[in-house]
């Protein structure tokens, strides 16, 4: 089968492309750097030729609220139109667990807008909502640093390894569309402040982590439901400590 992976050169996309090729599929890794641009539409129609499945794991190159919304809406519209014209039969998109619960975060609002475009299109689809990636924990710590002290919510957090996200996307892409949403999360839920404490300890970083229920997570106040999955998510197999050990080994 010909499968197109949008964002195929990124963290998740590159792993997904490798997985699908190992299963014997003809995979096109699509990104601006490979000549496929969903904003300008350059190379988009050609990429869709004979494609049966399209997986969109592209990320916005910007974080500013208005720009990120514009990116996901424009990219989503152009991509879905090209897929409809080519007769694509399964659209898979990567989104974020809890997006609709944190409207104060512009990135999450943009992901909800992207999901709504997919649901409104005629193309059979599956949306995969993942929790935050282990790879982002360092950035979360950095964003919460105030004068060398890290203030974070003790709300529950259930992050996942990018390898587990790519594995789930591989299985979903090759299964029939469900016209619905699947959630994937890491194997354990841990308070956010505690998780960052473990991360810093592994990195021999001596900054103090202070639990603060009012601390904002990229603009949003959290509770235990904000960033954790609902009933019956698919669970990854890689534990945070094991992932930390792998990072230290490299």
């Amino acid at each position: 089968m010909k499968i197109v992976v949008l964002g195929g050169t990124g963290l998740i996309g590159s792993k997904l492309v490798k997985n699908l090729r190992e299963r014997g599929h003809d995979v096109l890794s699509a990104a601006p750097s490979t000549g496929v641009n969903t904003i300008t539409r350059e190379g988009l129609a050609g990429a869709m030729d004979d494609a049966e499945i399209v997986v969109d794991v592209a990320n916005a190159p910007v974080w500013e609220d208005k720009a990120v919304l514009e990116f996901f809406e424009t990219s989503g519209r152009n991509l879905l139109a090209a897929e409809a014209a080519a007769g694509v039969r399964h659209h898979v998109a990567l989104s974020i667990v809890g997006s609709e619960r944190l409207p104060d975060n512009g990135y999450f609002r943009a992901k909800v807008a992207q999901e709504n475009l997919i649901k409104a299109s005629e193309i059979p689809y599956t949306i995969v909502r993942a929790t935050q990636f282990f790879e982002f924990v360092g950035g979360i710590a950095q964003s919460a640093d105030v004068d060398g002290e890290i203030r974070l919510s003790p709300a529950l957090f259930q992050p996942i390894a990018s390898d587990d996200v790519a594995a789930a996307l591989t299985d979903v892409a090759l299964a029939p569309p469900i016209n619905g949403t699947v959630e994937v999360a890491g194997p354990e839920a841990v308070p956010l402040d505690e998780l960052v404490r473990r991360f810093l300890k592994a990195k021999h970083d001596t900054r103090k982590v202070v639990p603060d229920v009012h601390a904002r997570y990229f603009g949003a106040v959290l509770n235990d439901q904000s960033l954790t999955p609902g009933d019956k998510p698919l669970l990854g197999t890689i534990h945070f400590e094991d992932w930390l050990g792998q990072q230290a080994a490299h």
Side-chain angles (χ1 to χ4, degrees):
M1 278 192 297
K2 180 180 172 185
I3 303 171
V4 179
V5 177
L6 270 299
T9 57
L11 172 68
I12 301 293
S14 54
K15 295 174 190 289
L16 177 60
V17 166
K18 181 172 173 284
N19 289 354
L20 291 166
R21 283 180 178 156
E22 283 173 356
R23 295 208 193 179
H25 297 289
D26 171 19
V27 186
L28 174 66
S29 173
S33 61
T34 67
V36 182
N37 190 315
T38 54
I39 298 298
T40 64
R41 298 203 287 264
E42 177 203 353
L44 190 54
M48 294 299 138
D49 279 349
D50 301 322
E52 294 186 52
I53 300 164
V54 174
V55 188
D56 184 8
V57 295
N59 206 351
V62 285
W63 282 84
E64 190 273 317
D65 285 4
K66 185 167 177 284
V68 78
L69 180 64
E70 214 163 80
F71 172 85
F72 280 117
E73 290 196 324
T74 304
S75 173
R77 283 197 189 99
N78 290 343
L79 178 57
L80 290 163
E83 287 178 34
V88 167
R89 55 185 188 80
H90 190 184
H91 176 93
V92 179
L94 179 61
S95 192
I96 308 170
V97 163
S99 290
E100 79 293 352
R101 296 193 286 272
L102 297 176
D104 291 343
N105 180 298
Y107 191 87
F108 283 17
R109 286 200 301 273
K111 293 301 284 185
V112 170
Q114 178 193 27
E115 289 186 18
N116 289 338
L117 285 171
I118 293 164
K119 291 170 186 173
S121 88
E122 299 291 308
I123 300 162
Y125 71 90
T126 307
I127 293 167
V128 177
R129 283 185 157 199
T131 52
Q132 315 305 300
F133 307 157
F134 291 164
E135 284 81 358
F136 294 165
V137 173
I140 292 167
Q142 211 48 49
S143 75
D145 185 316
V146 181
D147 300 327
E149 190 175 80
I150 296 172
R151 303 190 76 84
L152 284 167
S153 169
L156 284 179
F157 198 65
Q158 198 166 336
I160 185 169
S162 59
D163 282 344
D164 279 339
V165 176
L169 282 164
T170 304
D171 290 340
V172 166
L174 299 176
I178 64 167
N179 295 318
T181 303
V182 176
E183 289 190 323
V184 295
E188 59 175 338
V190 182
L192 177 56
D193 62 318
E194 171 60 27
L195 190 89
V196 169
R197 218 172 271 120
R198 290 186 200 173
F199 175 82
L200 295 180
K201 186 180 176 190
K203 299 287 179 190
H204 308 293
D205 186 327
T206 57
R207 284 178 292 174
K208 186 181 179 191
V209 179
V210 179
D212 177 356
V213 292
H214 303 295
R216 287 180 175 263
Y217 176 85
F218 299 106
V221 175
L222 302 181
N223 62 37
D224 283 350
Q225 283 72 48
S226 300
L227 294 171
T228 48
D231 295 339
K232 299 186 185 148
L234 298 173
L235 294 181
T237 58
I238 301 168
H239 286 264
F240 189 58
E241 267 64 24
D242 296 335
W243 177 82
L244 282 172
Q246 287 167 6
Q247 304 308 297
H250 287 313

